[in-house]
Amino acid sequence: MDTERFCQHCGKPFGAKAVHGLCPECLMQVGMGSEPGVEGGPKGFVPPTPEELAPHFPQLEDLEFHGKGGMGAVYKARQKNLNRLVALKVLPPNAGRDPAFAERFTREAQALAQLSHPGILTIHEFGHAGGFYYFVMEFVDGVNLRQLLRAQRLSPREAMAIVPQICEALQYAHDRGIVHRDIKPENVLVDKQGRVKIADFGLAKLLGREGQSLPLTQSAEVMGTPQYMAPEQLERPLEVDHRADIYSLGVVFYEMLTGELPLGRFPVPSRKVQVDVRLGEIVLRALEKEPELRYQQARVFKTEVETVAQAAGSGSPAAAHASRPRANRSEARTTWYGPLALGLFLAGTLGTLALMSLSPREEPALVFGALALCLAVVFAWMSRRERLGRFVLFTVGGAVCLAGAIAAVSFSDPCADAPAGISRTPAAGAGPARIRSGASPAGSGKAGPANHQRIDGGFCGCAAG
């Protein structure tokens, strides 16, 4: 009785006559040059079965096919002597056809093994066995970012928790002169605690020809996944530096926020989904065509995203699926700065008008209004990152300009338009302002010593001509 077996790619059961461990549907896709369930895989590469690999890796046991990507096939296994789970990555066999590959493989693998960072997949062992070049790496109990995106659209908070962790790992590698060259969702792993790890560091360079002297008739091979590659990776592959990773991360960030790739003349994320407009500015800067206009360091990218995350009340980046942390006291106070600025602006404006209409003196009203507006500007500036704070700043600025223009016109020369017969020289004994113009008090029968007229909203004492 034949035991039931399952397809290594789609998981469907199949009979004993299946070829290469694939069901008929997946086998047809491989024969047509595409990879079942995988984008960007090497054409024609059929991963060996665990049974075929086991004799070549006696130090491993319980080999289990885990997945296939553009850089080879991955198997889950247990390391006997240390009794720990590891991931065995087998590179495509055609990678070793280049006579110089063995030397390059050893050199690059040794450099990658020196990377010791919580956000980078650790390499335990590397070598050549059974016709395959391989890596024995840390096993991550989780999923990759592509699987997360297929399962559901990530919230902006979850995206802002993942991106800074990627930036931190990239900065660590960039400081040591290592560029990933193939940042994409498939190479970003997220474990069950929400911790992020980057896989396949440097494999794009390892499987390409960068740094070699090429014949004039041979062009440099393009390394990476086209949808996520920076323009210079396609146009000038030998001049690629760490800023290409920043561009690729910008593509990944855009996809996390919108669920789509930034192709052609793409809109900013805030026009497609409800996200902070500042996130769109961050993404657009990372996606600048010219490397000089992008973020020059991944740590700056990280700081920008964390600033928006903190302003949005999401706290410090943590696990992508962790609960939202409680805002600290300083963040709680910040949320009141905008409404307080608006209240002070309204109080200063309305209070000044009320005091000027009720009080015979204008100075206290003006002092009150100026003080209230100054405080409104202070609190509006403290909340300038919020929409309400910016609104108060613009409104106060416009109101001050308008009030200055009115004051300049009203108080420039209050007696300039006095009628004929009214002198601009105050009469001796003229009383204070706000006395009615014209005749003497009612019932006196005598002309008053001076005429007092209100002209253009101001009061002036003028002697009769």
Side-chain angles (χ1 to χ4, degrees):
M1 180 177 178
D2 295 336
T3 58
E4 188 176 31
R5 300 170 61 190
F6 297 87
C7 177
Q8 296 178 0
H9 289 288
C10 66
K12 294 180 181 179
F14 54 75
K17 295 183 179 181
V19 180
H20 295 298
L22 300 174
C23 68
E25 291 81 2
C26 292
L27 185 62
M28 286 294 295
Q29 293 183 18
V30 171
M32 295 173 63
S34 61
E35 300 297 333
V38 179
E39 297 178 2
K43 295 183 178 181
F45 171 51
V46 179
T49 64
E51 293 77 12
E52 294 172 342
L53 287 178
H56 305 291
F57 296 93
Q59 74 275 27
L60 304 177
E61 61 182 1
D62 301 331
L63 265 73
E64 177 185 343
F65 180 79
H66 192 66
K68 178 184 174 184
M71 301 299 176
V74 179
Y75 302 81
K76 178 182 176 182
R78 181 175 297 277
Q79 204 168 20
K80 292 180 181 180
N81 55 349
L82 296 177
N83 191 28
R84 65 179 176 185
L85 290 176
V86 294
L88 171 65
K89 187 164 190 99
V90 175
L91 303 185
N94 58 0
R97 295 175 183 173
D98 182 2
F101 181 80
E103 180 183 354
R104 188 166 74 249
F105 175 82
T106 301
R107 183 177 65 251
E108 296 295 336
Q110 289 175 346
L112 297 176
Q114 299 302 314
L115 296 178
S116 178
H117 188 274
I120 298 177
L121 213 60
T122 303
I123 296 178
H124 300 313
E125 181 186 343
F126 63 89
H128 181 267
F132 294 97
Y133 288 92
Y134 70 90
F135 291 97
V136 176
M137 305 177 296
E138 169 188 7
F139 178 78
V140 176
D141 187 13
V143 296
N144 63 41
L145 186 55
R146 174 66 65 203
Q147 293 168 319
L148 282 178
L149 293 174
R150 286 174 177 169
Q152 61 181 4
R153 175 177 293 177
L154 298 179
S155 67
R157 179 177 62 85
E158 291 171 330
M160 289 188 290
I162 291 175
V163 170
Q165 297 184 64
I166 301 176
C167 290
E168 187 175 345
L170 287 177
Q171 187 63 57
Y172 174 86
H174 294 168
D175 289 342
R176 286 150 183 81
I178 297 180
V179 182
H180 192 289
R181 290 176 175 80
D182 196 22
I183 292 294
K184 59 183 178 181
E186 287 81 359
N187 288 334
V188 177
L189 309 180
V190 184
D191 67 13
K192 293 182 178 180
Q193 285 73 42
R195 294 171 298 197
V196 175
K197 290 182 178 291
I198 301 179
D200 287 355
F201 235 109
L203 287 189
K205 178 181 179 181
L206 179 62
L207 297 179
R209 292 182 172 271
E210 183 160 334
Q212 297 187 17
S213 299
L214 301 176
L216 294 177
T217 57
Q218 182 180 5
S219 61
E221 292 185 13
V222 174
M223 292 158 284
T225 304
Q227 302 94 317
Y228 298 90
M229 290 168 58
E232 64 269 21
Q233 286 182 271
L234 293 169
E235 301 168 0
R236 306 179 301 276
L238 295 181
E239 301 177 11
V240 172
D241 60 17
H242 65 280
R243 293 171 293 186
D245 286 347
I246 294 176
Y247 181 94
S248 299
L249 181 54
V251 178
V252 173
F253 196 12
Y254 186 95
E255 187 176 7
M256 283 194 287
L257 293 174
T258 66
E260 300 177 3
L261 290 171
L263 302 176
R265 298 185 62 182
F266 56 89
V268 295
S270 57
R271 292 191 177 183
K272 296 186 66 67
V273 292
Q274 188 175 358
V275 297
D276 195 311
V277 293
R278 289 170 294 176
L279 291 180
E281 297 171 357
I282 294 173
V283 170
L284 291 182
R285 183 173 179 186
L287 293 177
E288 286 285 356
K289 179 178 175 61
E290 298 299 329
E292 294 78 12
L293 300 179
R294 298 175 205 148
Y295 294 110
Q296 299 301 294
Q297 299 291 335
R299 64 169 61 94
V300 181
F301 197 161
K302 173 179 179 285
T303 301
E304 294 285 334
V305 176
E306 287 180 333
T307 300
V308 177
Q310 292 170 359
S314 60
S316 61
H321 296 285
S323 59
R324 180 173 179 174
R326 182 178 300 176
N328 56 40
R329 292 183 178 180
S330 62
E331 291 172 344
R333 287 196 300 268
T334 304
T335 60
W336 289 98
Y337 289 159
L340 184 58
L342 180 61
L344 287 170
F345 170 69
L346 294 177
T349 304
L350 299 178
T352 301
L353 295 176
L355 290 175
M356 290 183 65
S357 62
L358 296 177
S359 174
R361 299 183 61 189
E362 298 176 351
E363 289 81 2
L366 295 177
V367 171
F368 171 79
L371 180 61
L373 289 180
C374 288
L375 291 175
V377 169
V378 170
F379 285 106
W381 178 258
M382 296 173 69
S383 64
R384 63 189 182 278
R385 294 188 178 275
E386 303 297 330
R387 184 176 301 177
L388 185 58
R390 294 193 296 269
F391 168 77
V392 174
L393 280 176
F394 288 129
T395 305
V396 170
V400 169
C401 293
L402 181 61
I406 294 176
V409 173
S410 299
F411 297 103
S412 58
D413 191 355
C415 296
D417 297 329
I422 301 297
S423 171
R424 299 186 184 188
T425 303
R434 301 179 68 88
I435 297 180
R436 295 189 304 270
S437 62
S440 61
S444 64
K446 298 179 181 180
N451 289 331
H452 298 272
Q453 288 194 349
R454 179 170 182 167
I455 302 176
D456 293 335
F459 291 91
C460 63
C462 304

